Amino acid sequence: MADRTTSGGRSARRTTSRKHWTGPLKLAAALALAAAGLAGCAGGADGMMRGTGDLGVVIERAAGRIQVVETSGMTRLATVAGLGDLSHASVVFSRDGRYAYVFGRDGGLSRVDLLRARVTHRVMQAGNSIGGAILQDGSVVAAQNYAPGGIRLFDAATLEPLAEIPAIGRDGRRSKVVGLADLPGRRLAASLFESGEIWIIDAADPRHPQVTRLDAGREPYDGLVTPDGRWYLAGLFGEDGLALVDLWQTPPAARKVLAGYGRGETRLPVYKMPHLRGWAMAQGQAWLPAVGRHEVLVADPARGWQESGRVALAGQPVFVMARPDGRQVWVNFAFPDNDTVQVIDTATRQVVRTIKPCRGVLHMEFTPKGEAVWLSCRDEDRVEVYDTASFARLATLPADNPSGIFFTVRAQRFGM
């Protein structure tokens, strides 16, 4: 078919052809603008696009702020202030690793955008809080509180309050809540210190959570869930042993394990409570800090959680943490040995290295695949990074009175 010619001598077909091209050009321009907008949303504090898989947070406890760090280059990216009393702060992450939920000792709960290095939401939700958890699907954040004792649930996107569960035991007393951990099936587990109970909380409907109460023992002081989500373990301060719940059992029930580990021995003064949240599963065994003793207990889940060994240490263990491949367990200690870190080879169950990185080693955190470990040096205002194969110091980062170190890889694990 021949082209028709307009009065200006131009081809009508060519005019039509150019008109057809305006649609794709407009679409391309729109996509370019959208990409620029996404780049702005995904940009870090320096304006560059980046992912979140190697990000983390260092708590600067005295200053009430956090450092946003990255583990690939071992650098600080930004600081975020205005987070209140961080003297016992802990952190959980959104499932995409972009947002950190910071629980302050003063009851403040803050949602921090790690890419933009700013607080997006903040609520004062209690008088004294020591941590929290985030549900399996990332939709609900839960805070565990000392005063008033209880658990509060919040919408993870807005921090809108959803429910409050007062921690009132069977004896009618209000208890401090410890050991809050997320479980499979939109559930939580927690321990009540004064009333000696473990609660399993079904939060499928977060506005109307349902509680199952179990007897734990005297004064559960912390709790954890195994990486597979099957077992919840609560340490007992008021007696030797631990309380264990099989979460696959219906209905769940608690029983005592390792009940005789200190029998007949005088317990040493406890200068700092062990933190079971920093326990270790390695070589198919559980590696647990013994309360008031200079040793780590090894328990075998395949043999009913019976004790399978002990490792003598330089002091009272606080955190007992496994390298991600399970070959090493790193241990730090309570005062007066808090300048020391020991490394256990889990194949031989022997201490293979003792290092003294600084005074006041409060916390340890492994990089996602465990090639390095970060140590907070509270009393010397810095963070140390060590190679876990050679034990060489890789980097030193200044930090004001640092305590907890938390990496976004925790978002992909139960109980973290």
Side-chain angles (χ1 to χ4, degrees):
M1 180 177 178
D3 288 346
R4 290 187 295 108
T5 303
T6 65
S7 58
R10 290 175 299 177
S11 165
R13 177 170 291 180
R14 285 174 186 161
T15 301
T16 304
S17 177
R18 287 171 182 165
K19 186 182 295 184
H20 287 334
W21 273 105
T22 60
L25 287 172
K26 287 180 179 178
L27 176 60
L31 289 173
L33 288 172
L38 288 174
C41 290
D46 57 3
M48 300 294 290
M49 288 187 67
R50 63 161 301 127
T52 60
D54 66 345
L55 295 185
V57 164
V58 175
I59 302 295
E60 293 188 308
R61 55 187 288 156
R65 66 183 176 227
I66 61 172
Q67 291 189 15
V68 180
V69 298
E70 53 86 24
T71 60
S72 297
M74 295 177 287
T75 64
R76 178 179 65 190
L77 300 178
T79 60
V80 181
L83 301 177
D85 181 357
L86 300 185
S87 59
H88 195 291
S90 66
V91 176
V92 298
F93 296 96
S94 60
R95 64 187 301 163
D96 61 1
R98 177 167 181 175
Y99 298 100
Y101 298 88
V102 183
F103 302 90
R105 190 60 185 257
D106 57 1
L109 169 58
S110 306
R111 180 179 183 263
V112 178
D113 185 334
L114 299 181
L115 292 179
R116 292 186 171 178
R118 65 181 180 88
V119 177
T120 66
H121 301 78
R122 178 170 166 80
V123 295
M124 294 301 296
Q125 59 86 34
N128 189 335
S129 180
I130 63 160
I134 188 165
L135 280 192
Q136 181 181 24
D137 64 358
S139 63
V140 174
V141 173
Q144 63 178 11
N145 297 321
Y146 270 12
I151 297 166
R152 298 193 69 190
L153 306 182
F154 299 87
D155 182 279
T158 64
L159 296 191
E160 174 198 355
L162 301 175
E164 181 172 3
I165 311 171
I168 300 174
R170 292 192 178 103
D171 58 6
R173 293 189 301 163
R174 198 144 185 165
S175 289
K176 301 181 186 71
V177 177
V178 296
L180 184 66
D182 64 294
L183 308 175
R186 291 174 60 84
R187 295 180 299 163
L188 299 161
S191 296
L192 277 63
F193 182 80
E194 284 83 2
S195 64
E197 297 178 28
I198 292 173
W199 284 6
I200 308 300
I201 303 163
D202 185 340
D205 179 355
R207 294 187 183 276
H208 302 93
Q210 304 299 309
V211 177
T212 299
R213 300 167 178 258
L214 309 174
D215 291 323
R218 289 178 55 196
E219 297 177 339
Y221 66 85
D222 200 0
L224 55 101
V225 61
T226 54
D228 61 4
R230 176 171 182 177
W231 305 97
Y232 179 78
L233 200 64
L236 300 176
F237 186 69
E239 59 183 292
D240 289 338
L242 302 98
L244 177 73
V245 180
D246 185 348
L247 298 164
W248 290 5
Q249 181 179 335
T250 305
R255 63 185 176 91
K256 300 283 180 59
V257 295
L258 301 177
Y261 71 81
R263 189 167 295 153
E265 302 175 28
T266 301
R267 179 181 290 186
L268 297 171
V270 178
Y271 295 105
K272 185 173 178 61
M273 293 296 292
H275 281 54
L276 284 183
R277 191 59 56 88
W279 78 318
M281 278 294 291
Q283 301 286 345
Q285 306 287 300
W287 303 71
L288 302 161
V291 177
R293 311 197 182 279
H294 292 186
E295 58 192 12
V296 163
L297 306 176
V298 187
D300 187 351
R303 296 174 54 230
W305 290 83
Q306 294 181 34
E307 181 181 323
S308 61
R310 301 186 186 193
V311 180
L313 298 169
Q316 293 182 20
V318 176
F319 285 100
V320 178
M321 302 184 72
R323 197 171 70 179
D325 64 355
R327 181 58 192 270
Q328 294 175 348
V329 165
W330 287 56
V331 186
N332 72 334
F333 301 99
F335 178 85
D337 302 299
N338 58 357
D339 63 343
T340 302
V341 173
Q342 290 191 306
V343 183
I344 301 169
D345 183 309
T346 58
T348 64
R349 299 189 181 180
Q350 299 293 317
V351 173
V352 295
R353 184 60 62 105
T354 298
I355 60 176
K356 291 184 178 290
C358 56
R359 292 178 291 111
V361 179
L362 283 198
H363 197 241
M364 305 173 291
E365 184 83 338
F366 289 96
T367 51
K369 291 192 175 181
E371 77 285 350
V373 63
W374 290 46
L375 311 174
S376 63
C377 299
R378 178 197 60 192
D379 297 344
E380 297 186 14
D381 292 327
R382 67 177 189 265
V383 170
E384 299 277 12
V385 184
Y386 279 80
D387 185 296
T388 58
S390 68
F391 305 109
R393 183 187 287 112
L394 300 175
T396 298
L397 288 76
D400 185 356
N401 209 218
S403 54
I405 303 173
F406 307 91
F407 294 156
T408 55
V409 67
R410 288 171 171 252
Q412 315 309 324
R413 300 172 181 165
F414 284 116
M416 301 297 283

